[in-house]
Amino acid sequence: MRLGFTPNEAYLAILAGLVLLSAGSTAYGQWLARRATDQARAMRIRIVNSRVRASWSLIFVFTVAFALGQTALLVVFAFASFLALREFIALTPTKASDHWALVVAFYVAIPLQYAMISLDQYEIFTLFIPVYLFLILPIIMALKQDTERYLERVAKVQWGLMISVFCISHAPAIASLNLARYNATGPLLLLFFLLVVYISDLLEVMASALLGGTPLRSNQNKTRKGVLVGGVGAVLVGASLWWMTPFRFWQAILMSLAIVLAGFMGGMVITSVKRSLGARRWDTEIVLTRGALDRMDSLIFAAPAFYHLTVLFFM
């Protein structure tokens, strides 16, 4: 580990900083919310506070990762995939004839995907859903001989598996990478990844609330100025954490930039998917409470992008 830190010391230092920052931000945000008299200002503060509260889930994930090990981390993310897929299917019209396809998606695909990560079967884990289930699910649904909107129904189940299971499962896969040759560890690399994802979203919302500007069509909670400032801030934070990764300083900048860009595109795509399913309006919307898909929209695209860039250039 660079700068003389052991992996445990680096984790404890980051964890202590996160706890102090989250506690202070939560308390300060609640104080501002009580003192806000202007309705617009109160709304912006509530949006920022909703993002600050997400830091506690980040702390929980990494306490699990370091205290209980890789298996517990996989269980946490498998549960997250289950919730995300359940939300996606709840938004998607299905028929009784789709029953067995959904059984396979929930009770076969999720356990097998995460089991393959646990068993270090990375060649299969990256092919299982986009290749094998891509072919198997249409067969299962065709056996029911229900051809009404068949292609649309198959595509929705496949899309749900891709974004809710395949993409999300790349996050715990990052923690299992063997980076000993770089004097780094997978769990700390996952911490680096999630910090950049979380800080990018938080800074974008905060900067949008403070600077204003033209709201994004894909997300009325963010503005163009806010996204630019927040993205730059997240890249700088990622660069400052280069010492806990296998990357050099300039490489940490590029990898952080890749995370920010992929996360932004993920948020844009997930919003479009939910709107196409009728879950969002195209007119002005302020989203204060977020479901599983909204909470992980940036991670959904950023996790596989970051994982494969790391494997391609550093494994």
Side-chain angles (χ1 to χ4, degrees):
M1 184 63 60
R2 298 182 177 98
L3 303 183
F5 285 104
T6 65
N8 284 339
E9 289 172 344
Y11 166 73
L12 291 174
I14 295 295
L15 178 63
L18 272 177
V19 170
L20 291 174
L21 181 61
S22 298
S25 299
T26 300
Y28 184 62
Q30 295 301 317
W31 180 77
L32 286 178
R34 289 194 298 268
R35 291 176 60 88
T37 55
D38 179 70
Q39 185 176 1
R41 177 175 172 78
M43 182 68 71
R44 290 196 295 267
I45 293 172
R46 289 174 62 192
I47 294 170
V48 173
N49 284 342
S50 72
R51 300 305 196 267
V52 170
R53 286 193 294 270
S55 64
W56 295 105
S57 60
L58 182 65
I59 292 170
F60 170 75
V61 167
F62 277 90
T63 299
V64 169
F66 277 83
L68 301 180
Q70 176 74 1
T71 301
L73 183 66
L74 288 171
V75 170
V76 170
F77 275 98
F79 183 65
S81 286
F82 181 87
L83 294 178
L85 183 59
R86 186 182 67 173
E87 180 182 341
F88 185 92
I89 296 301
L91 298 172
T92 307
T94 57
K95 301 181 66 177
S97 55
D98 301 332
H99 172 74
W100 286 109
L102 295 177
V103 168
V104 171
F106 279 97
Y107 302 111
V108 177
I110 294 176
L112 282 181
Q113 180 74 359
Y114 285 90
M116 285 183 286
I117 298 174
S118 177
L119 297 172
D120 295 334
Q121 298 296 321
Y122 297 111
E123 296 83 359
I124 302 177
F125 129 76
T126 55
L127 297 175
F128 174 56
I129 291 176
V131 177
Y132 301 116
L133 280 185
F134 183 86
L135 300 175
I136 292 172
L137 284 174
I139 296 173
I140 294 174
M141 297 177 74
L143 290 174
K144 290 293 184 177
Q145 298 296 310
D146 183 357
T147 57
E148 183 183 357
R149 305 178 74 176
Y150 169 77
L151 181 59
E152 179 182 343
R153 287 161 37 222
V154 170
K156 286 179 178 178
V157 176
Q158 289 174 331
W159 246 92
L161 278 172
M162 282 297 295
I163 64 176
S164 303
V165 184
F166 177 76
C167 291
I168 291 176
S169 68
H170 280 76
I174 295 169
S176 60
L177 293 175
N178 184 358
L179 302 170
R181 60 183 290 194
Y182 297 101
N183 199 24
T185 69
L188 281 178
L189 185 61
L190 178 57
L191 177 57
F192 167 83
F193 166 75
L194 286 185
L195 281 172
V196 174
V197 170
Y198 167 71
I199 289 172
S200 174
D201 181 63
L202 177 62
L203 291 182
E204 286 173 6
V205 172
M206 293 179 66
S208 297
L210 293 173
L211 301 178
T214 304
L216 299 179
R217 182 171 174 79
S218 61
N219 189 339
Q220 295 294 317
N221 294 338
K222 298 178 181 180
T223 65
R224 294 176 182 176
K225 289 181 183 178
V227 168
L228 179 61
V229 172
V232 171
V235 170
L236 293 177
V237 170
S240 70
L241 296 174
W242 66 275
W243 52 272
M244 57 188 286
T245 73
F247 315 136
R248 297 178 181 178
F249 180 78
W250 65 270
Q251 292 169 334
I253 294 176
L254 294 179
M255 294 297 274
S256 299
L257 181 60
I259 293 172
V260 170
L261 292 176
F264 173 77
M265 289 184 284
M268 183 171 58
V269 169
I270 296 303
T271 299
S272 297
V273 168
K274 296 191 72 172
R275 282 172 166 164
S276 71
L277 296 174
R280 297 258 185 98
R281 302 186 309 274
W282 277 108
D283 56 351
T284 301
E285 61 180 10
I286 300 297
V287 180
L288 294 175
T289 58
R290 302 190 294 169
L293 288 174
D294 289 308
R295 290 183 181 277
M296 293 183 285
D297 56 1
S298 298
L299 181 145
I300 285 171
F301 271 40
F306 181 72
Y307 172 85
H308 288 288
L309 284 174
T310 303
V311 171
L312 179 63
F313 292 108
F314 296 93
M315 300 297 291

